[in-house]
Amino acid sequence: MLYRKMEKTGDELSVLGFGCMRLPTKGMGIDEERAIRQIRYAVDHGVNYLDTALMYPGSEQLLGRALADGYREKVKLATKLPHMLVTSREDMDRMLDLQLRTLKTDHIDYYLIHSLTSGEGWKKMNDLGVAGFLDAAKADGRIVNAGFSSHCGVEAFKEIVDGYGWDFCQIQYNYLDETNQAGTKGLMYAASKGLGVVIMEPLRGGYLARDPPAEVRAVWDEADVKRTPAEWGLRWVWNHPEVSVVLSGMNDEQHIEENIRIAGEAHANSLTEKELAIVGRAAEAYRSLNRVGCTGCRYCMPCPAGVNIPGCFEAYNTDGGTLQSKVMYQLRIGGKMDGAEPAYASLCKNCGKCVKVCPQHLPIPEHLAEVAKEYETVGARFIGSVTEYALRLMRWNTLRKA
């Protein structure tokens, strides 16, 4: 296992972190025996960063049991404050104290504000006094390091980075998302400020680990060293020295073994120029198969009508049409995660401003109409309403337990 030191914390962290959002299931819940066995196997083989969240059903409870028998002392534990469930300063303390009890620990090593998808979420938390909460929780030892996870665009991301004395942050990053969300610019900006950077979705939720389309397979076949799609994706992220930890949502024994092997070999700056070019061509091949050829450059933003154009196309291109993609569309584009104004594709007024500045010369209003037709049907809106109700119910249950 390779390790990298996080600058502000001084911790030597395994380059591979165990993401506990997608633990193995059995029936309607987590397969506890198998999940505990997997987590302990990873720790025994060098993984020392475990990531969970209150919003991952059953994950914190499972991890509290998995880290018994001396395993808690072997790892750095990360979990998250669900800002979408917070309505007061008091909520923050109640939720953190509940998480400490659930995880059976007296401190959280890496505590994050969960999933800031726009500047609105950060503004709300700031107004509620999150800086004072984090300062107090660090002072009394309940948390050691403070950070945030983000799905923001790069400008909003920079504002959050500069908004508090963070120790680290967590962003989505992979070879398809160099210009999407925080992207490479955000990665470099956070690193320049001394923040450790934890990477989520290095394989886009498994999308980049699957048996690839023929067009992509042909590109991989040209490489001198043969690797699986998952290995190419992980090695590309680890090639960046600014990256501290890469999270993998591992729930299969074979995948865990493969990831641990790669994590013992993937040094920063180890890919050759030829290999980097091959990854770039694979990304181009994937994009050529997208329903919309959006690169996420954001030249079209801000939209005068308030549409999150890159966000709409990201949802449409990644597992488009699936239940999960519709749920995420409603949560993020609908503003349900941050309390922000909805940024639906259907808000498009067909003004044409975006078309004039799009480097790909895309007929953006036409594509937005396609997104609205698929993602904003009565059924999709119903999914959004159910999801919003579920968030409110989760908040009620969480505070009741706290």
Side-chain angles (χ1 to χ4, degrees):
M1 178 64 61
L2 297 176
Y3 297 85
R4 296 184 184 180
K5 180 179 285 189
M6 193 174 278
E7 181 178 336
K8 279 198 172 183
T9 73
D11 288 334
E12 293 281 349
L13 301 175
S14 56
V15 296
L16 175 65
F18 202 119
C20 298
M21 184 173 71
R22 302 183 179 98
L23 295 170
T25 59
K26 186 176 184 180
M28 296 296 291
I30 296 171
D31 185 338
E32 293 196 7
E33 182 179 343
R34 186 181 178 198
I36 290 174
R37 186 170 62 248
Q38 290 178 348
I39 290 167
R40 292 186 174 184
Y41 177 89
V43 174
D44 290 340
H45 287 79
V47 172
N48 71 356
Y49 189 94
L50 305 183
D51 172 271
T52 183
L54 192 151
M55 294 287 287
Y56 306 159
S59 176
E60 288 185 336
Q61 291 86 343
L62 182 283
L63 207 50
R65 291 188 281 275
L67 295 180
D69 304 322
Y71 277 86
R72 175 66 183 94
E73 291 71 32
K74 298 178 180 181
V75 302
K76 300 300 182 182
L77 179 59
T79 193
K80 310 177 188 76
L81 175 69
H83 76 88
M84 63 291 297
L85 305 184
V86 171
T87 61
S88 70
R89 167 68 172 77
E90 292 72 25
D91 284 351
M92 303 177 202
D93 283 302
R94 286 197 289 264
M95 289 183 185
L96 172 56
D97 291 341
L98 171 63
Q99 290 174 293
L100 290 169
R101 294 197 303 272
T102 303
L103 287 161
K104 304 182 188 303
T105 187
D106 62 357
H107 71 280
I108 307 298
D109 300 290
Y110 288 84
Y111 197 62
L112 303 94
I113 309 303
H114 194 179
S115 194
L116 294 169
T117 60
S118 73
E120 293 300 317
W122 171 238
K123 182 179 184 303
K124 181 195 86 168
M125 292 298 286
N126 234 344
D127 291 345
L128 291 175
V130 72
F133 160 73
L134 293 172
D135 288 344
K138 291 180 76 171
D140 63 29
R142 286 178 295 164
I143 68 174
V144 181
N145 304 295
F148 67 96
S149 66
S150 171
H151 292 281
C152 293
V154 66
E155 294 308 316
F157 175 78
K158 289 180 178 180
E159 290 179 12
I160 299 170
V161 167
D162 294 337
Y164 179 73
W166 306 105
D167 300 299
F168 72 112
C169 64
Q170 184 171 308
I171 62 172
Q172 176 173 318
Y173 193 57
N174 54 68
Y175 63 77
L176 287 185
D177 287 324
E178 289 189 81
T179 58
N180 190 30
Q181 298 187 27
T184 302
K185 289 182 179 179
L187 169 65
M188 298 302 177
Y189 188 78
S192 75
K193 299 290 184 175
L195 274 66
V197 184
V198 177
I199 301 301
M200 57 182 160
E201 306 295 358
L203 301 175
R204 264 211 185 180
Y207 178 68
L208 299 178
R210 300 172 190 165
D211 188 29
E215 295 87 342
V216 179
R217 170 59 64 189
V219 176
W220 294 141
D221 287 345
E222 293 181 20
D224 296 328
V225 179
K226 305 307 177 187
R227 299 180 174 123
T228 65
E231 182 167 358
W232 278 112
L234 291 172
R235 281 182 177 269
W236 184 88
V237 179
W238 275 320
N239 200 61
H240 296 76
E242 298 80 10
V243 169
S244 305
V245 177
V246 174
L247 296 176
S248 177
M250 304 177 283
N251 57 18
D252 178 89
E253 287 75 10
Q254 183 178 347
H255 297 163
I256 294 171
E257 291 175 8
E258 178 186 19
N259 289 353
I260 289 172
R261 175 187 62 78
I262 302 166
E265 304 169 357
H267 292 272
N269 297 318
S270 62
L271 292 181
T272 66
E273 289 298 321
K274 179 180 179 181
E275 288 173 328
L276 289 171
I278 286 173
V279 175
R281 288 176 51 220
E284 291 174 4
Y286 269 118
R287 292 191 185 104
S288 71
L289 299 171
N290 282 344
R291 297 197 282 182
V292 177
C294 175
T295 64
C297 70
R298 301 185 69 85
Y299 286 122
C300 57
M301 297 297 286
C303 167
V307 180
N308 181 347
I309 298 171
C312 289
F313 292 155
E314 179 189 1
Y316 193 56
N317 283 332
T318 304
D319 289 341
T322 64
L323 177 62
Q324 181 179 1
S325 67
K326 290 180 179 179
V327 168
M328 295 312 298
Y329 179 86
Q330 292 294 328
L331 284 173
R332 293 178 182 169
I333 307 303
K336 294 177 174 61
M337 293 287 279
D338 280 9
E341 290 296 317
Y344 289 123
S346 59
L347 295 173
C348 174
K349 303 300 183 185
N350 202 18
C351 68
K353 180 181 176 182
C354 54
V355 177
K356 296 176 182 177
V357 296
C358 176
Q360 311 304 319
H361 308 294
L362 300 174
I364 292 175
E366 294 178 24
H367 288 315
L368 289 174
E370 296 166 7
V371 176
K373 183 177 180 181
E374 184 166 331
Y375 280 71
E376 299 180 39
T377 61
V378 173
R381 294 279 189 176
F382 176 74
I383 291 170
S385 299
V386 170
T387 302
E388 188 170 16
Y389 174 77
L391 285 173
R392 292 179 180 178
L393 183 62
M394 180 178 288
R395 178 181 186 277
W396 182 83
N397 281 330
T398 298
L399 294 180
R400 179 173 59 85
K401 293 175 183 175

